[in-house]
Amino acid sequence: MYESKDELLEALEFGSVDSESEKNLDSKFIKTKDFNDFLNPQKALILGAKGSGKSALFQMFSKYEDSARELAHLKEDEVLIVTGTGFNDMKELQTDDFSKLLKQEDADFDRIWELYIATKIAIKLGQEGYYTGENLVEFYKQAGLMEDFRILSILRQLWGMVIGTPMQGLDIDIKGVKIKVGGRYSLDTQDMLTEINNTLAYENLDCWILFDKIDELFSDDYQKRKLCIESLFRIYLKFINRFPRIKFKIFLRNDIWSTLEFVNKSHISDKCVELSWSENSLLEMLMRRVLNNETVMEYVINETGLDKKELLLSVNLKTVFYTIFAKQVYKGKREATVISWLLARITDGLGGRYPREFINFANYSKEEQRTEKYDDNCLIGGNAIKRAFNKVSVTKCDTYLSEFPALRAHFERFRGKDTAKYTREGIGDLMSGLEPKGDDMIKALYETGMLEAQHGRASADSSFEIPKLFRVGLGLVLRGRP
């Protein structure tokens, strides 16, 4: 039983914007309309801005596989799930050979990706007990994945090649083409992939391999990162026909996708899921986190008169939300509701509104409420919400300064300006002397979501407006309400 609003305020938990550090993510995860699209085996590219929920979806299948399978109705004897974050997640092999390969100036990313994929899937197959194929069995033995290794008749000749040789573990050769084991026998990557595909076909399994955080590869070398990610998509297109049992799910930021150039990129357009969030999805996401606390749930039930099972029904989300937050920032019959006010201030120039900013808004509002008087029918009042907006905007822009270093100087040019509306020519004049410039510069700014086209012509428009989300953080000096 709660005794005061101070106690309830401190009990409020809106969670972290970082899904990796979110505790019990599986109990807070919600199925948006994009979830079923993601489950389509033909969908290979999952696009979204930073904070749009890509990593949360990835983490569900990586850390909470049982819960993810239950949500998705995926049976273990139908789909094998493998997750990867790109070359540094190979602790099973205890080798730094991937790092050595990647540091080469002429690194062959196509071959390195094939090697990485073959190794990741081989390890998972071994862990699940699928010991078939001479190359795979030898791989498991040398990787220490088969404690009870039995020499099957079909493998006697192969084993004779390495028996008696001191165990040396796995040794990826310097060209990234083969995996050398036992000092004598080499496993060819293509042979391994063929055996993997054949094993999957024999077991009537598909393997989904999910890739996340590939945008963080070579964070200090953007050209190398571009080449590396382009290579992954080439491999995907190659695998479609050659290894059809291996299904890719690549999580990537929209802005990075738009910069990639590779043959047949257009062939992926119908294999893409772009993450988006409706008003109800955002409300459910936030309220599901809030109601994880029993004390807060008791308060909400008392305030609404709803049964516990009814709290997260779509029709009741706003009722539940307004037991936590005030109904308006500015009071008055013609003033916007808090939900409308918030959504208008977390929407970027591309129309995207995402969990990251919504969660930040909630957490900063809680902080601000600690120095405010309580309203009668909620825990967080309008003044606290209003003051939180400045922090949300500053956080968003600070994040962009690190994510888009090539545009850092461009962002700074807006500081101190007294308008949020600019013509195309006006932006060009403002950014004079900077690179990128001209059409490339406007396209880059537009694709970050920092510019909203005023006539529906995307980056080719003649006039733009900076969305409310960015104005304070960019240092605009504007009259009137934020």
Side-chain angles (χ1 to χ4, degrees):
M1 179 67 182
Y2 51 89
E3 296 183 357
S4 67
K5 285 195 171 182
D6 283 339
E7 179 186 345
L8 287 167
L9 183 69
E10 294 310 312
L12 283 178
E13 289 290 342
F14 299 111
S16 169
V17 297
D18 177 11
S19 60
E20 290 187 28
S21 59
E22 187 69 70
K23 296 180 180 178
N24 304 317
L25 177 65
D26 55 335
S27 67
K28 304 169 187 177
F29 183 84
I30 70 166
K31 291 171 62 174
T32 67
K33 67 180 182 64
D34 300 316
F35 188 77
N36 287 335
D37 289 339
F38 165 80
L39 297 178
N40 183 335
Q42 305 308 314
K43 299 296 184 181
L45 173 60
I46 296 83
L47 285 177
K50 195 173 183 69
S52 60
K54 298 188 304 299
S55 289
L57 182 55
F58 177 86
Q59 290 295 322
M60 279 295 293
F61 284 87
S62 176
K63 291 185 178 180
Y64 306 94
E65 184 177 325
D66 290 343
S67 297
R69 285 184 179 278
E70 186 176 349
L71 277 175
H73 306 294
L74 285 177
K75 297 180 180 179
E76 291 186 9
D77 60 355
E78 293 178 350
V79 176
L80 184 78
I81 296 172
V82 177
T83 59
T85 53
F87 309 125
N88 293 319
D89 58 353
M90 304 295 287
K91 61 182 182 298
E92 296 95 340
L93 304 188
Q94 298 180 342
T95 176
D96 63 351
D97 284 305
F98 276 107
S99 297
K100 294 176 182 176
L101 289 171
L102 292 166
K103 288 178 182 177
Q104 294 179 13
E105 289 186 14
D106 58 345
D108 187 336
F109 289 121
D110 285 18
R111 291 176 182 262
I112 295 172
W113 275 120
E114 287 182 342
L115 181 57
Y116 174 80
I117 292 165
T119 307
K120 291 291 289 188
I121 300 177
I123 289 171
K124 187 62 177 277
L125 282 170
Q127 290 170 342
E128 296 297 322
Y130 296 106
Y131 302 140
T132 60
E134 61 182 27
N135 286 299
L136 287 178
V137 171
E138 185 61 26
F139 173 87
Y140 302 139
K141 176 61 178 177
Q142 294 298 330
L145 296 174
M146 288 181 65
E147 296 179 3
D148 182 22
F149 179 72
R150 301 171 184 176
I151 305 177
L152 304 178
S153 58
I154 196 171
L155 298 175
R156 289 188 187 279
Q157 184 176 1
L158 167 64
W159 186 243
M161 297 172 64
V162 293
I163 196 73
T165 303
M167 290 301 151
Q168 299 177 23
L170 296 178
D171 179 20
I172 301 168
D173 82 0
I174 197 63
K175 296 298 182 183
V177 181
K178 299 177 183 292
I179 302 175
K180 294 191 296 186
V181 298
R184 292 185 184 179
Y185 185 73
S186 291
L187 303 180
D188 184 81
T189 306
Q190 295 300 309
D191 289 344
M192 280 191 67
L193 287 167
T194 298
E195 283 192 3
I196 286 169
N197 192 74
N198 291 343
T199 298
L200 292 169
Y202 179 80
E203 300 290 345
N204 199 24
L205 272 172
D206 279 342
C207 174
W208 291 7
I209 180 163
L210 282 61
F211 301 87
D212 192 28
K213 296 191 177 300
I214 59 173
D215 55 328
E216 296 178 9
L217 296 172
F218 309 108
S219 57
D220 58 345
D221 189 337
Y222 291 92
Q223 182 59 28
K224 197 167 187 177
R225 180 185 71 180
K226 180 174 180 287
L227 294 173
C228 182
I229 298 175
E230 287 170 347
S231 170
L232 178 59
F233 281 101
R234 284 195 301 273
I235 295 303
Y236 158 68
L237 291 169
K238 174 182 176 181
F239 274 39
I240 290 176
N241 294 318
R242 189 162 186 178
F243 308 115
R245 286 285 177 169
I246 301 173
K247 311 291 186 182
F248 285 44
K249 302 282 185 183
I250 304 171
F251 295 76
L252 192 64
R253 288 194 342 230
N254 309 64
D255 60 287
I256 293 178
W257 171 248
S258 68
T259 67
L260 302 183
E261 300 169 302
F262 56 91
V263 175
N264 293 328
K265 180 179 180 181
S266 61
H267 291 188
I268 299 178
S269 60
D270 64 338
K271 299 173 178 64
C272 171
V273 178
E274 188 157 3
L275 300 183
S276 62
W277 289 76
S278 67
E279 176 181 309
N280 264 13
S281 295
L282 288 169
L283 291 176
E284 183 185 349
M285 177 273 301
L286 199 65
M287 292 303 98
R288 187 176 290 276
R289 291 166 176 237
V290 165
L291 295 173
N292 253 348
N293 183 282
E294 292 293 334
T295 302
V296 175
M297 181 183 289
E298 180 187 356
Y299 158 76
V300 171
I301 289 173
N302 289 340
E303 289 293 310
T304 62
L306 295 169
D307 183 77
K308 179 179 178 179
K309 295 180 180 179
E310 300 174 317
L311 296 176
L312 291 174
L313 293 178
S314 184
V315 68
N316 295 327
L317 287 173
K318 288 184 180 179
T319 300
V320 173
F321 181 88
Y322 286 129
T323 65
I324 307 298
F325 295 93
K327 291 187 176 180
Q328 291 180 306
V329 172
Y330 301 101
K331 295 180 179 180
K333 290 183 178 180
R334 296 185 177 182
E335 296 291 352
T337 64
V338 157
I339 292 174
S340 296
W341 192 91
L342 285 173
L343 292 178
R345 283 157 181 77
I346 67 167
T347 302
D348 65 22
L350 299 173
R353 48 195 186 188
Y354 302 114
R356 181 177 296 264
E357 281 68 54
F358 208 48
I359 294 169
N360 277 338
F361 234 128
N363 281 322
Y364 290 143
S365 295
K366 174 183 173 179
E367 289 179 10
E368 295 295 335
Q369 183 59 44
R370 290 190 175 111
T371 60
E372 292 281 339
K373 293 181 179 180
Y374 290 104
D375 289 357
D376 291 337
N377 300 315
C378 65
L379 300 180
I380 297 176
N383 283 337
I385 296 168
K386 180 172 59 178
R387 294 214 309 268
F389 170 60
N390 288 352
K391 292 184 177 180
V392 172
S393 183
V394 169
T395 299
K396 181 68 173 179
C397 290
D398 284 350
T399 300
Y400 268 34
L401 289 176
S402 61
E403 285 181 11
F404 305 107
L407 297 174
R408 185 177 289 120
H410 298 77
F411 295 153
E412 290 295 331
R413 290 285 175 94
F414 288 107
R415 189 165 302 281
K417 296 297 179 287
D418 60 3
T419 181
K421 296 183 177 182
Y422 294 87
T423 64
R424 190 178 191 85
E425 293 74 18
I427 296 176
D429 292 341
L430 184 64
M431 304 300 167
S432 177
L434 299 179
E435 293 289 343
K437 62 183 178 181
D439 292 345
D440 289 341
M441 174 267 296
I442 290 179
K443 184 174 185 288
L445 289 174
Y446 173 79
E447 288 178 348
T448 67
M450 207 203 73
L451 293 179
E452 180 183 0
Q454 295 299 285
H455 305 296
R457 298 179 58 207
S459 62
D461 218 316
S462 60
S463 58
F464 300 88
E465 184 171 1
I466 297 174
K468 291 181 174 66
L469 174 60
F470 297 94
R471 293 176 184 177
V472 173
L474 285 175
L476 297 184
V477 182
L478 306 176
R479 293 182 180 181
R481 296 175 178 178

